[in-house]
Amino acid sequence: MAHLSRLIVCGVGVFLAPIGFGQAADAKIKLDLLATQSFGDRGPTTFKFYDRLGHFSTVSLSGSLETGWKFFVSQRLQKIDGDPDSGPLDEFYVEDSGLWRVGKQYLPFGKRLL
């Protein structure tokens, strides 16, 4: 878990250092836990931090700055075997609501799974 928290703090620092120096951020931490335990005759019992449909368990940090800009960083708790996205971060972005958003994000249509 120390690696997880260190990565989140570093990621937020990289985004906020140039824009938020000297400003107090309004931040929230969220844990979205989806876990699956499989029992089977063909293999060992497994416990994974994602469900059978591929939805990840994540820990995220979000907030806003005095300038009105918002930030969001979300990290997966476990990688799915064979997933082409090799990075530990699920989403991260900085935005000025309604005007622009820069970072890694899900496309904003449907169930946001694309």
Side-chain angles (χ1 to χ4, degrees), residues 4-5 7 13 17-18 23 28 31 33 57 61 69-70 72 77-78 83-84 87 91 97 100-101:
L4 175 70
S5 61
L7 188 59
Q23 298 177 354
K28 299 174 192 168
L31 175 65
L33 189 61
S57 293
L61 176 66
W69 292 5
K70 296 181 180 179
F72 181 78
L77 295 181
Q78 184 178 10
D83 186 5
E91 285 185 274
S97 294
W100 54 265
R101 182 184 289 180

Side-chain angles (χ1 to χ4, degrees), residues 32-36 48-51 54-58 77:
D32 189 9
L33 189 61
L34 300 167
T36 304
K48 299 183 180 185
F49 285 107
Y50 53 86
D51 66 8
H55 301 113
F56 299 103
S57 293
T58 59
L77 295 181

Side-chain angles (χ1 to χ4, degrees), residues 16 20 23-27 63-66 71:
L16 299 182
Q23 298 177 354
D26 176 28
S64 61
L65 300 171
E66 292 175 359
F71 63 90

Side-chain angles (χ1 to χ4, degrees), residues 6-106:
R6 192 174 341 137
L7 188 59
I8 288 176
V9 170
C10 289
V12 171
V14 166
F15 280 110
L16 299 182
I19 61 174
F21 188 77
Q23 298 177 354
D26 176 28
K28 299 174 192 168
I29 297 175
K30 177 182 174 184
L31 175 65
D32 189 9
L33 189 61
L34 300 167
T36 304
Q37 184 172 8
S38 299
F39 302 96
D41 297 335
R42 298 181 191 147
T45 299
T46 59
F47 185 81
K48 299 183 180 185
F49 285 107
Y50 53 86
D51 66 8
R52 293 182 185 268
L53 298 175
H55 301 113
F56 299 103
S57 293
T58 59
V59 61
S60 59
L61 176 66
S62 63
S64 61
L65 300 171
E66 292 175 359
T67 60
W69 292 5
K70 296 181 180 179
F71 63 90
F72 181 78
V73 178
S74 176
Q75 181 173 353
R76 301 175 187 147
L77 295 181
Q78 184 178 10
K79 184 181 183 224
I80 296 176
D81 296 332
D83 186 5
D85 187 3
S86 62
L89 295 179
D90 190 36
E91 285 185 274
F92 56 89
Y93 56 83
V94 176
E95 72 175 333
D96 189 358
S97 294
L99 298 176
W100 54 265
R101 182 184 289 180
V102 177
K104 179 184 174 185
Q105 59 186 315
Y106 288 105

